C-alpha cells in the first residue's frame, strides 16, 4: 500500500469561542483574551491596553455576564453546544473514511492550538481548517490563521494545510440558508420584509482592504435571489456596534426604529454571517433588538435561527471539505 493511501486527514471546525460559564470572572477572562487580540481591535497596543484594563474589563464583564445568562442552556454556551454537535454529526457522516473531525475555539476551550497538537499526536498529515465564518474578515478568519501559523512554526514535520478562508457564495451554503427561510415561511408565513443582519466592523477596515463588507453584500444578494425577493422585500444591516468610531452601515438598530414609520411592521430577521447561534443572535437580535422594533411601532418580529447543527449545515461542511481535498 502506498504512503499516500495511509495519510490521515484531520478536519478542524473553528468558531469564535465563549466564556466557560456565566460567572463574571469567567466572562472577564474570555473578554481579556478576545479583546486583547490585535486582530480584533486595531488600535496602538499601549493605548488599547489602558482602555481595556482601566475602562472595559472592570465594568463590561458584569453586563456581558447578564446577557449570557439570558441565552445559556443546561449544556452550556449555545455557540459551543451547536459547534460541538455540528462536528459530531459531520464525524458520523464521514465515519468509515480516513477523515477525523474535531472542533476548536479561537478564544477559550477547546483551544485551537491543543486540537492541532492532537492531530499531530494522532499522525494526521493532511489538515483542513474550516473557520465557521462564511465571510472573511481580518478580525476573525485571519486571527484563526495566525494561531495555525504560530503552532506550525514549532513543528519539524509540517502537514499539508487547506485553509478555507470563506464560503460566502458557496452554492451549498446559500441553498441551505435559503431553504431555512422557506421552511420558516411555510410554518409562520412570510413577513413584509426580510432583514439580513451581519456583525459590524469598523468602517476603516474596508478602506484598508478587508473584503468583509463586500462579501456580506454578495451573500445577502445571493440569498435574496434564491428566495426570488424584490428589492423592497429585503434589507441588509449591520449589528453589534462597539465604541464611538464609524462602523459599517446601515446600523441594525437605526433601521429597526425606522421601519414601522415606513409602513413595515412585520419582519423576519436572518443572520447569514453566523454559522451557529450565539450571544449576538440569541440575545442581541432575538431579544434586545426585538424590543427596539416593537417599541417603534412594529407588530411582528421573528428571528430565523442559524443553520446550527442541522443536517443541511452538515451537508454544507461536507461540501466545503470535498472542495478542499
Amino acid at each position: 500500500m502506498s504512503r499516500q493511501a495511509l495519510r490521515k486527514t484531520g478536519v478542524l471546525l473553528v468558531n469564535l469561542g465563549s466564556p466557560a460559564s456565566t460567572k463574571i470572572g469567567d466572562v472577564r477572562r474570555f473578554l481579556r483574551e478576545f479583546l486583547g487580540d490585535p486582530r480584533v481591535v486595531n488600535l496602538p497596543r499601549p493605548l488599547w491596553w489602558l482602555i481595556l484594563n482601566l475602562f472595559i474589563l472592570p465594568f463590561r464583564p458584569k453586563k456581558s455576564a447578564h446577557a449570557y445568562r439570558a441565552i445559556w442552556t443546561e449544556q452550556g454556551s449555545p455557540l459551543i453546544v451547536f459547534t460541538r454537535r455540528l462536528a459530531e454529526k459531520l464525524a458520523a457522516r464521514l465515519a468509515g473514511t480516513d477523515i477525523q473531525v474535531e472542533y476548536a475555539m479561537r478564544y477559550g476551550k477547546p483551544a485551537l492550538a491543543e486540537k492541532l497538537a492532537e492531530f499531530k499526536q494522532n499522525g494526521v498529515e493532511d489538515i483542513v481548517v474550516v473557520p465557521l465564518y462564511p465571510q472573511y474578515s481580518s478580525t476573525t478568519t485571519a486571527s484563526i490563521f495566525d494561531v495555525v501559523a504560530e503552532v506550525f512554526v514549532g513543528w519539524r514535520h509540517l502537514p499539508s494545510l487547506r485553509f478555507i478562508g470563506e464560503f460566502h457564495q458557496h452554492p451549498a451554503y446559500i441553498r441551505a440558508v435559503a431553504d431555512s427561510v422557506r421552511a420558516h415561511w411555510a410554518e409562520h408565513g412570510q413577513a413584509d420584509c426580510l432583514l439580513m443582519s451581519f456583525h459590524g466592523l469598523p468602517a476603516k477596515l474596508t478602506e484598508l482592504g478587508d473584503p468583509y463588507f463586500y462579501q456580506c453584500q454578495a451573500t445577502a444578494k445571493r440569498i435574496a435571489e434564491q428566495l426570488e425577493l424584490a428589492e423592497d422585500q429585503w434589507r441588509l444591516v449591520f449589528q453589534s456596534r462597539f465604541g464611538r468610531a464609524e462602523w459599517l452601515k446601515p446600523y441594525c438598530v437605526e433601521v429597526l426604529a425606522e421601519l414601522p414609520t415606513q409602513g413595515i411592521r412585520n419582519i423576519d430577521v436572518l443572520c447569514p454571517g453566523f454559522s451557529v447561534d450565539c450571544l449576538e443572535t440569541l440575545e442581541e437580535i432575538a431579544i434586545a433588538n426585538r424590543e427596539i422594533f416593537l417599541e417603534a411601532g412594529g407588530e411582528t418580529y421573528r428571528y430565523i435561527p442559524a443553520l446550527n447543527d442541522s443536517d443541511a449545515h452538515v451537508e454544507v461542511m461536507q461540501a466545503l471539505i470535498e472542495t478542499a481535498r
Side-chain angles (χ1 to χ4, degrees):
M1 185 177 293
S2 68
R3 177 175 173 78
Q4 183 64 30
L6 296 173
R7 293 178 71 91
K8 296 181 180 179
T9 297
V11 171
L12 192 58
L13 307 184
V14 188
N15 216 328
L16 183 84
S18 176
S21 76
T22 60
K23 294 180 180 178
I24 294 176
D26 285 336
V27 174
R28 181 177 290 110
R29 277 186 286 274
F30 173 74
L31 290 178
R32 179 179 287 111
E33 182 182 8
F34 173 47
L35 297 176
D37 185 349
R39 288 283 195 181
V40 174
V41 180
N42 297 269
L43 288 176
R45 290 297 93 190
L47 172 62
W48 179 240
W49 188 94
L50 290 174
I51 296 174
L52 179 61
N53 288 279
L54 297 181
F55 299 100
I56 296 179
L57 291 180
F59 309 105
R60 189 173 180 84
K62 182 177 180 180
K63 179 180 179 181
S64 296
H66 178 75
Y68 274 111
R69 292 188 193 106
I71 56 101
W72 213 256
T73 71
E74 292 183 0
Q75 294 77 33
S77 162
L79 180 144
I80 293 180
V81 171
F82 285 128
T83 303
R84 181 183 70 243
R85 290 176 180 172
L86 176 63
E88 290 172 348
K89 286 189 174 182
L90 180 61
R93 178 75 65 90
L94 298 175
T97 71
D98 61 345
I99 302 176
Q100 175 185 344
V101 180
E102 299 289 344
Y103 75 98
M105 299 293 150
R106 172 59 183 89
Y107 314 102
K109 300 290 185 178
L112 173 53
E114 293 175 359
K115 287 298 180 179
L116 290 172
E118 288 182 15
F119 278 161
K120 182 180 181 182
Q121 293 171 0
N122 293 338
V124 171
E125 295 180 279
D126 300 318
I127 296 178
V128 181
V129 177
V130 187
L132 292 176
Y133 309 123
Q135 299 79 25
Y136 173 94
S137 171
S138 59
T139 62
T140 53
T141 317
S143 182
I144 290 175
F145 186 85
D146 289 346
V147 175
V148 175
E150 183 179 356
V151 170
F152 282 2
V153 165
W155 289 14
R156 207 45 94 168
H157 182 191
L158 291 178
S160 68
L161 173 67
R162 297 167 182 83
F163 188 88
I164 299 178
E166 50 81 18
F167 49 98
H168 73 286
Q169 291 192 91
H170 195 287
Y173 170 66
I174 298 297
R175 182 170 57 252
V177 175
D179 285 346
S180 75
V181 176
R182 293 191 188 96
H184 173 85
W185 286 347
E187 182 176 356
H188 302 285
Q190 184 174 344
D192 299 331
C193 177
L194 177 64
L195 197 70
M196 289 189 255
S197 182
F198 295 82
H199 199 290
L201 288 180
K204 183 179 180 180
L205 293 181
T206 303
E207 300 174 10
L208 296 175
D210 194 306
Y212 177 78
F213 176 67
Y214 302 109
Q215 291 191 1
C216 290
Q217 290 180 318
T219 297
K221 183 177 180 181
R222 288 290 303 277
I223 292 171
E225 290 173 347
Q226 281 274 318
L227 296 171
E228 299 182 340
L229 293 176
E231 290 187 6
D232 62 350
Q233 291 180 299
W234 66 279
R235 304 279 185 93
L236 179 152
V237 296
F238 293 93
Q239 65 185 82
S240 309
R241 182 186 178 192
F242 179 75
R244 298 181 180 180
E246 180 178 342
W247 279 43
L248 299 179
K249 294 181 178 180
Y251 298 142
C252 182
V253 292
E254 293 184 356
V255 172
L256 287 174
E258 293 171 357
L259 287 177
T261 68
Q262 300 169 3
I264 300 175
R265 296 183 173 85
N266 303 287
I267 65 172
D268 292 318
V269 185
L270 178 71
C271 295
F274 295 88
S275 290
V276 303
D277 280 316
C278 56
L279 185 71
E280 286 80 5
T281 62
L282 297 176
E283 195 280 332
E284 181 182 357
I285 290 295
I287 299 176
N289 285 10
R290 179 178 183 274
E291 294 178 359
I292 292 173
F293 181 70
L294 296 181
E295 289 177 0
E299 297 175 359
T300 305
Y301 179 105
R302 294 184 298 242
Y303 170 64
I304 302 175
L307 294 179
N308 293 324
D309 60 339
S310 64
D311 291 342
H313 204 185
V314 175
E315 292 174 3
V316 173
M317 294 297 107
Q318 187 174 5
L320 293 177
I321 295 166
E322 291 174 351
T323 302
R325 294 189 75 197

